[in-house]
Amino acid sequence: MELDLLGNLQRTHSCGELDLSAAGKDVVVMGWVNRRRDHGNLIFLDLRDRSGIVQIVLDKELCPLAHAKAESVRPEYVVAIQGKVRRRDAASVNPNMATGQIEVNVGELKILNDARTPPFSPAEDAIGNEELRLKYRYIDLRRPAMQRNVILRHKIALAIRENLARQGFLEIETPYMTRSTPEGARDYLVPSRVHPGEFYALPQSPQLFKQILMISGLDRYFQIARCFRDEDLRADRQPEFTQIDLEMTFPQQETVFRVVESFVAAAFHAAGIALPTPFPQITYDESVRRFGSDKPDMRLPELVDIHAVFSSSDLETLMVDPSLPVIAVRVPKVGELSRKERDENRPLFDARKGAKLIDDLKRLEKAFPEAVAKVRELAGAAPEDLLVIVAGDATTRIEASDTKIAGRLTEREIAIYSSAGSLRIELAKKYAARHGAFSITERAVQNAGGDENGNLVQGSEAFFPIWVTDFPMFEHDAETGQWMPSHHPFTSPHEEDMDRLVSDPSSVRARYYDLAMNGLELGSGSIRIYRKDVQTKIFQSLGMSDEEAKERFGFFLEALEYGTPPHGGIALGLDRIVMILAGAQSLREVIAFPKTARAVDLMVDAPSLVSETQLKELQLQRRRS
RNA sequence: GGGGACGUAGCUCAGUUGGUUAGAGCGCUGCCCUGUCACGGCAGAGGUCGCGGGUUCGAGCCCCGUCGUCCCCGCCA
């Protein structure tokens, strides 16, 4: 194939920007051939670049040379077109195309590069095989849907940067090669050649650096930072991901909230959606009670406490533990389920936590007609709504703390609530087509960018951000019998709970908060400890010796002693924000070069073995076995 | 670490109870076609049924193992 030289030809327009206003103009456009329609003496090319697609016309009579060349053109060839923009006849206008009012009449066609037949076509809408998409990511990224996501991500990041800068935050970079941080995930390690046997760690987050920046007096810091965690993946979890990380001095919790609400609203605005602020707030305990989760999806009905409906003898008959919550889960508009359907739904219920599912309300109604009527009333259930009951199983005792302290939820109660909460989500997902609660969000995303009058889509119907506050400070580890920090150990407890740190750790609330939206955790943060004496107390209550604390975070403890201001902050997942606004079901759709569920990059084939020489230089050796 | 789904032509998939030469649509190649825009018409090429082993007269189909992709639990802010 004879290729043409570019010469000094300059592109004058992008494909998508051409419209009626360009009619009559001489233009030069360049791009990829999306499709070719060959009518013999008349050939149409759809030329694609980032901005869109425009139709190119080659008439044998008008441009015999270019027409002859176009016969050999195939999809994904890279071509340059010199021609004249022409208004289409009324009959040949294509209303489905942004540039459908015009077309480019060719003077000269240059074939700049040919292309092998791609394994899949960027011109197709429905693309299946994800393995192939990841291997040939450069082709996948040619698809307009993927380019939309990449562009959306750019716009969101830009809006957030601008917003935070306006709020007085400085963008400051922190090292990627650092030492293991105290967070709980596994580190990605980088061996040091200069210090044989020693390793850097890639940061799980810039946590300690940003706190140090506050100690340094930089007042307000932010960074759109890459974070690395060597843990198993999910649809919403990649081993490297991007956080909008920020920290500020002298904040109240509410100060952080206002800052975040402002930039999240700015991000949504950039995506064409108006998100009302401030966001509502809920305590952790209340969130667990009402939604069975610390990341509530408020598009669905809340859990309903129906314990009072049943007498203690009723509960005994039902073999339900009377000391645990009895909860109704409602899923709207599901309709009546057959025995077979109910059986199929049982795997959605997680009984391991000592919870019991009562899914046959009809049968229950025969034994307890009044109680069931009351349950329906309390749940506000319409006749076509699905209603099931989750309660504690009296026949199985789960291993968990049962002590009720300071009015907070016990571990066993949390187990029942979360069992009901996950069933709530699973059933809602399964019957999404019937109740439509999720499709409202999908529609909002599709219409984002505004209506014909340029008004933004109202996000209040489709997006439900919520602050979850007052998380417990500690979790009980059943295996070790130890109290573990629920978060990193620099999270400040509530000042009024401070005196119970040692005597009654489970009742201590952390000044820790999450931002959740539509069942997804967008991010979390806390007000930090800034006093050495408090920090020491926390380590004590964790059973950590002074030596151990010094060994793990000596540099940081020392920094605390040199005039540390009260400070706090948060980190939000940029990938997840973009995922929501792109209407994507997986982070892979909004990351240009993502990894598979087994943390492999299929395009570059990473990770890979390295040479013996490299290993030697690092003084590393593969272990046999 | 555990559970589940999937793997058949370049792609998306069908393939009956284990039975002759494994099919369709799209794509691809060639020819024809001056208003298409998922163009159309005619003809054609294209298969290690993921891989390895087993059962059987006979395996795409059954069994065991293994690899890969996806989803979930554990793990992880």
Side-chain angles (χ1 to χ4, degrees), chain A residues 174-181 183 185-190 200-209 223 225-230 239-241 243:
Chain A
T174 55
Y176 276 173
M177 290 201 294
T178 177
R179 63 177 286 141
S180 279
T181 53
E183 276 109 307
R186 287 186 200 91
D187 285 318
Y188 278 101
L189 297 177
V190 181
Y200 301 96
L202 303 181
Q204 295 174 27
S205 78
Q207 183 61 37
L208 290 179
F209 287 104
Q223 184 181 189
R226 197 65 65 80
C227 304
F228 307 87
R229 290 177 191 159
D230 186 4
E240 52 177 313
F241 58 99
Q243 285 194 338

Side-chain angles (χ1 to χ4, degrees), chain A residues 248-264:
Chain A
M248 56 210 291
T249 43
F250 311 117
Q252 294 294 336
Q253 192 166 284
E254 297 289 325
T255 320
V256 178
F257 290 0
R258 294 300 92 75
V259 164
V260 173
E261 285 158 359
S262 172
F263 86 69
V264 170

